[in-house]
Structure formats: C-alpha cells, structure tokens
Amino acid sequence: MLQYVNVNIDGAIVRAVKGTSVLDTAIEYGICIPHLCHVPYLSDISACRLCIVEHVNNGRSKITASCTLNVEEGMVIMTNTDKIRKMRRNLAELLVAQAPNSRAIQDIAVRCGVKQVRYPFRNDDCVLCGRCVRVCTEVWKAQAIGFVGRGKDRRAEYLFGVRPEFCKQCGSCIELCPMTITPCDGPMKPGEERLCGQCESQLIIADQTPGSCVWCKLGEGFACGRYA
Amino acid sequence: MVGSGGVVVMDEGSCMVDVAKYFLNFLQDESCGKCVPCRLGIDRMLEIVTDITEGRGTLQQLDLLEELAETVAETALCGLGKTAPNPVLSTLRYFRPEYEVHIKEKKCPAGVCKAIITYSIDPEKCNGCGVCVRGCVHGAIIGEKTQAHVINTELCQKCGICRSECKFDAIRVVCENEVLNAAICQR
Ligand code: SF4
Ligand code: SF4
Ligand code: SF4
Ligand code: SF4
Ligand code: SF4
Ligand code: FES
C-alpha cells in the first residue's frame, strides 16, 4: 500500500507519496519547478541545478536540487523565492549562453526569467544534461553512450568514439536531447547567436506569474512531467 | 580562502586579481564537470577575471562576477563547486579597489598582470653594464656598453628576468598608458 506524507510546498500542504521526490510532487500538483536533466522515468543526476528550491529546516533554509530531494513528513519547501528565482535565472543564463542553438534551452531560459545574456555566446552542441546517457543505459540497457572526460572537457559520446554495434538504433537519445529542438528561425550561425525573444506570449506569462508553468517547448518536446 | 583549507600568504607584490585567476584555473582542472554551476560557472568566472587582467574588463562585469560567484557557491552539487568561488568572493570583498583599478585605469598596481604592464629601463639608473642583455632569453634588450640600454617592447615577453638580474634597480615595471609617469604604479 502506498504511504503518504504531508509536505508544505509554497504554503500549500500537499499529500505526497512517500519515496517520491519534491520535484515530482510539485509537478503533480501543478507547481512548476523548471527542470532540464530530470525525465520522469529515468534516474535523477542533479546536474542542471535548475530545479533548486529552498528547504526550510529548523528555521534555516538550504538551497538544494528538488529532483534528488525526497519528500518527508512536515517538510517545508519554497520553490519561488526571490533568491531562488535569481539563482535559477543565473543558471539558465549560463546554459543559454553556452548553447543558444536550441529552442528548448531558449524556452527554459525565458521561463527562468532571463531577459539578457551577459556572457559572450558560445555555440556548444551539448549541455551535458545526461538524458541520452541515462535513457540508453537505463531503458535500453545498451550503454552505447556515456560521459567521457572531466571538467570542461566532459562530453557525452559513444564509448569508443564511433557508434558501436550494440547500439539498438532506437533513437531515444536523440528524442530526449534538448539540443535537437532547433530555434524557430533555424539554427543560428556561429557569431550570430542571440537570446531568442520570439515567444512573446511566453515572456509575458513568465513575467506576470513567475511561478506558473508556461507550457514551455521543453516540456512539449520531451517529457516534462507536466506533459507526460 | 582556498577550498582545501590551505592558507596562502601574499605580500604587496601579489596582484589579487591574478591570485583569483590562478585559483580559478586550478579549480577548473579539479571540477568533474557534472553540474552546471561548477562547470560553466568557473569557466565564466575565469573568462571575466581574464578580461580584467588583460585590460578588457568593465564594471558591469565586476557585478556579474560577484553575482555569479554567489550563485555557484549556493547551487553547486558538491563541496568543490560550493567552495570554488571563495577566492573570487574573498578577493572581491577585501580588494575590490584593486579590481577597479584594473578596469578603470587599466593598471595592475602590483605589476603582475602581463597584458597591462610594460618593462622599461630607467636611463638615469642604467650604467650600461650589459648584464640584462645576457639575461634576456628573448633578445629584447639592446644598448652600447656603458650607455643606457633600452628594451624593445615588441620582443619583450615580460618575464621579469632582467629585472632580477639588474644590480642597479634600473629596470622598472610600468603600466600601459603610464609609461611616462612610472612612479605611480611601480611596486
Ligand atoms: S540509439 Fe543507440 S545510443 Fe541512442 S539510446 Fe538507442 S541504443 Fe542508446
Ligand atoms: S547530447 Fe543531448 S541529451 Fe546528451 S547530454 Fe548532451 S544535451 Fe543532454
Ligand atoms: S560541483 Fe562537484 S559535482 Fe558539480 S561539477 Fe563541480 S566537482 Fe562536479
Ligand atoms: S643590468 Fe641594469 S644597469 Fe646593467 S645594462 Fe641592464 S639595465 Fe643597465
Ligand atoms: S622582461 Fe624578460 S623578455 Fe622582457 S626584456 Fe626583461 S628579460 Fe627580456
Ligand atoms: S532537474 Fe534537478 S538538477 Fe536538473
């Protein structure tokens, strides 16, 4: 039998299934916590840090990723404080500056309140969210792709640099990759990257109700818990 | 101020911006690269600090640096990432004017940041002994014996060897744009 615990998320006391994460619980109740590396049916690796929340415990609040934080009885969580919004915006800004050539990353940046990118753009083709690696390993049990290198040389790649025979060509890695969703106007040329401001409607929603789900492309494209 | 609990002793010959850059470089090699704040955050902090040491920094970048450092400290996944911004945060807290001088006046008060300093020879002090000529591996110093020597800034790699060789303290470090008014920014 399922066991339940009561959790306070942004002032609402909600009933959560014991053993689930704060992120899953919040999404289930329609509280949007932006997230990138989390996929409902895969393990969580806490890599993108967009899903940060404040966990208030004994009067002290600690910032932590909600995808790897399990619900506990009496927990107090704040998903949308000024501090969280600012940090989340800074993280999303780092991401979109690194990899602007994805509608998914652009959308999530907008969702997180990025209005201006203060770093020179780079044109990277991977944000190391690890979605491809996990779907390949956990769902298809193929282990055809993995992470190689460390630090700023870390990248997701076929294990020996070429597609191995045991790749099942299922296409899941591509389906889940945020970098495969191109900007509306097509890929931006190197040197001409910009913050895409096309989706005015989303900008307005993100502005007026910063805590709510804007049904971003990220979710539609690949399994935000909201769309699943 | 260093993540590992080590203590670093510095004198007025150390440039705090350069110190922050040094630690960021080191930490970038230590980062495993898994989470965004540490992997991209350190990289961008290094980018900004490098701009500042090379005279391209702006005051907006300084605020951005501070904001970014605070974000990384709060949001990184593990202890390494959480402490990685400490060198930036503490040098900013205690030596902010030093950053500002690099930005506003394009000067490195400690004479460390190579891109914004120039080596030159004080003709008053130089007696033409020629020791520096042999010391300079880049062949940047020319001059007749017993005459004041000069440094060819095109060839000079700013290694500082000549300065330590000269027994008459004739070689000085001056900041870009300030070659004539050397006294201001000499160590
Ligand atoms: S297509 Fe190949 S590499 Fe991609 S998820 Fe499937 S098995 Fe793994
Ligand atoms: S290739 Fe795509 S899915 Fe894989 S880690 Fe990079 S951005 Fe994520
Ligand atoms: S904070 Fe820790 S987990 Fe994240 S990239 Fe740095 S070393 Fe890796
Ligand atoms: S070592 Fe000093 S004194 Fe001798 S030539 Fe060089 S600058 Fe002049
Ligand atoms: S600083 Fe180095 S390269 Fe420049 S003149 Fe002196 S010895 Fe030569
Ligand atoms: S979704 Fe939690 S860290 Fe990426």
Side-chain angles (χ1 to χ4, degrees):
Chain A
M1 215 188 81
L2 286 179
Q3 288 187 310
Y4 292 94
V5 293
N6 293 312
V7 191
N8 179 334
I9 304 182
D10 290 344
I13 313 279
V14 300
R15 199 172 72 139
V17 180
K18 202 171 178 179
T20 56
S21 70
V22 170
L23 178 60
D24 281 331
T25 306
I27 291 171
E28 185 161 338
Y29 283 95
I31 301 167
C32 173
I33 303 177
H35 51 275
L36 174 60
C37 60
H38 167 78
V39 180
Y41 49 87
L42 299 178
S43 65
D44 282 312
I45 55 169
S46 259
C48 74
R49 315 300 292 170
L50 288 176
C51 69
I52 47 170
V53 292
E54 276 191 64
H55 178 193
V56 189
N57 201 354
N58 289 330
R60 291 189 44 182
S61 95
K62 196 169 151 259
I63 294 186
T64 163
S66 60
C67 62
T68 45
L69 181 67
N70 275 354
V71 287
E72 276 164 31
E73 182 60 41
M75 210 175 203
V76 179
I77 299 291
M78 319 239 265
T79 72
N80 202 18
T81 58
D82 288 349
K83 191 170 175 190
I84 289 290
R85 276 210 297 276
K86 181 174 170 193
M87 307 244 148
R88 198 181 273 149
R89 192 189 65 223
N90 286 346
L91 294 175
E93 187 180 351
L94 283 174
L95 276 172
V96 77
Q98 188 76 12
N101 244 323
S102 150
R103 166 117 195 248
I105 303 295
Q106 292 272 358
D107 267 9
I108 206 159
V110 168
R111 167 67 190 87
C112 296
V114 178
K115 297 222 177 68
Q116 173 206 3
V117 176
R118 294 166 291 178
Y119 309 100
F121 277 107
R122 294 179 187 155
N123 205 333
D124 216 344
D125 48 17
C126 171
V127 286
L128 297 175
C129 62
R131 286 166 158 249
C132 55
V133 174
R134 280 172 293 147
V135 75
C136 186
T137 311
E138 294 170 16
V139 176
W140 298 98
K141 309 272 184 278
Q143 296 187 338
I145 15 184
F147 284 121
V148 292
R150 57 193 298 283
K152 79 176 184 338
D153 299 324
R154 182 173 160 102
R155 56 192 197 283
E157 209 179 83
Y158 288 128
L159 288 194
F160 301 104
V162 285
R163 192 169 63 77
E165 264 174 37
F166 49 85
C167 161
K168 301 175 181 169
Q169 304 208 32
C170 62
S172 300
C173 47
I174 298 170
E175 210 167 289
L176 283 188
C177 176
M179 297 310 295
T180 59
I181 305 180
T182 50
C184 317
D185 293 349
M188 300 171 187
K189 291 194 195 70
E192 291 176 11
E193 300 88 355
R194 64 199 158 81
L195 181 65
C196 167
Q198 308 271 340
C199 310
E200 293 294 339
S201 57
Q202 295 213 3
L203 275 171
I204 290 164
I205 304 177
D207 243 13
Q208 291 173 349
T209 48
S212 63
C213 173
V214 295
W215 297 87
C216 57
K217 197 70 186 169
L218 180 81
E220 190 190 327
F222 50 97
C224 163
R226 199 66 201 271
Y227 286 82
Chain B
M1 65 177 279
V2 192
S4 54
V7 173
V8 183
V9 181
M10 279 162 280
D11 59 14
E12 72 274 23
S14 324
C15 164
M16 286 304 145
V17 189
D18 188 67
V19 166
K21 181 161 102 178
Y22 170 84
F23 281 115
L24 286 172
N25 249 318
F26 168 78
L27 287 158
Q28 187 169 42
D29 289 341
E30 295 299 304
S31 164
C32 79
K34 179 173 171 183
C35 71
V36 169
C38 174
R39 182 183 73 247
L40 299 182
I42 294 181
D43 205 22
R44 293 296 183 172
M45 285 192 278
L46 187 58
E47 184 176 79
I48 295 173
V49 170
T50 306
D51 276 357
I52 295 177
T53 58
E54 294 179 359
R56 290 187 306 269
T58 61
L59 288 175
Q60 291 92 308
Q61 269 183 310
L62 199 57
D63 297 333
L64 178 59
L65 179 65
E66 193 163 25
E67 197 178 320
L68 177 59
E70 283 162 5
T71 303
V72 175
E74 291 268 14
T75 60
L77 176 57
C78 81
L80 187 127
K82 283 188 200 299
T83 51
N86 285 359
V88 169
L89 286 172
S90 45
T91 50
L92 266 179
R93 186 169 317 134
Y94 300 112
F95 301 97
R96 199 179 180 101
E98 210 167 308
Y99 279 84
E100 287 168 356
V101 170
H102 281 78
I103 294 170
K104 287 193 212 148
E105 300 169 38
K106 312 245 177 287
K107 283 181 197 161
C108 175
V112 173
C113 297
K114 286 185 182 181
I116 50 176
I117 58 171
T118 317
Y119 280 78
S120 70
I121 294 174
D122 184 345
E124 303 278 301
K125 289 189 180 165
C126 172
N127 68 3
C129 69
V131 166
C132 59
V133 179
R134 287 190 295 278
C136 178
V137 287
H138 304 285
I141 304 180
I142 42 169
E144 302 279 315
K145 234 182 162 57
T146 74
Q147 301 288 308
H149 284 43
V150 283
I151 293 179
N152 180 340
T153 46
E154 303 265 294
L155 294 177
C156 173
Q157 300 298 311
K158 307 177 188 182
C159 66
I161 292 176
C162 55
R163 194 156 188 254
S164 56
E165 298 271 296
C166 178
K167 300 204 172 36
F168 305 94
D169 201 21
I171 295 178
R172 58 200 178 173
V173 182
V174 284
C175 303
E176 203 115 286
N177 313 332
E178 280 297 333
V179 181
L180 295 172
N181 196 2
I184 292 180
C185 55
Q186 270 187 40
R187 286 201 209 175

